Amino acid sequence: MSSMNISPEIEGRLKNLLAHFNVNVAMSHKVAKHLTPLPASEKEALRQEFKLRLKENLLGAAEFRRFTACSARDEKTARQFFRDVYAYAFEDGEEPDVADY
């Protein structure tokens, strides 16, 4: 999942954030609790990296499968899921339900 010149710490934090949506652990409701203790600079770096991956279409059906343990209906739906996760984590959006994708 590596992208550009991301630090290993931010890479790990992004993987951890997305792993909250694995249906086998069902911890998506704890995303805010996961992000709250992060220093503002780390949270911003994480937000920027997530946003960059969305912009460059680096999060799709394969990543959906990897992080949710489910198959998305299609590539477009998988991409929407990650946009919705971003909105949930960083813009006070609705909590996405993996089953909807």
Side-chain angles (χ1 to χ4, degrees):
M1 183 176 166
S2 191
S3 172
M4 285 66 153
N5 293 324
I6 184 172
S7 76
E9 186 170 292
I10 297 301
E11 177 82 16
R13 291 201 186 281
L14 183 55
K15 287 179 181 178
N16 190 295
L17 169 66
L18 295 174
H20 279 73
F21 292 89
N22 184 309
V23 296
N24 295 313
V25 294
M27 294 180 12
S28 58
H29 64 285
K30 294 185 178 185
V31 166
K33 192 180 238 182
H34 170 72
L35 295 174
T36 299
L38 294 180
S41 61
E42 284 186 37
K43 187 174 179 181
E44 179 59 17
L46 177 59
R47 187 188 72 76
Q48 288 293 333
E49 181 62 23
F50 198 157
K51 188 175 183 177
L52 177 65
R53 290 179 191 215
L54 290 172
K55 181 181 175 186
E56 295 187 358
N57 291 320
L58 298 175
L59 298 168
E63 292 76 22
F64 184 89
R65 175 78 175 136
R66 177 178 176 198
F67 290 109
T68 68
C70 295
S71 295
R73 286 193 298 256
D74 55 39
E75 192 69 27
K76 181 179 177 184
T77 304
R79 291 189 195 291
Q80 184 60 52
F81 168 76
F82 288 110
R83 286 190 296 272
D84 292 345
V85 169
Y86 177 89
Y88 175 57
F90 299 106
E91 299 174 341
D92 295 323
E94 297 278 325
E95 180 179 352
D97 183 344
V98 172
D100 293 340
Y101 303 89

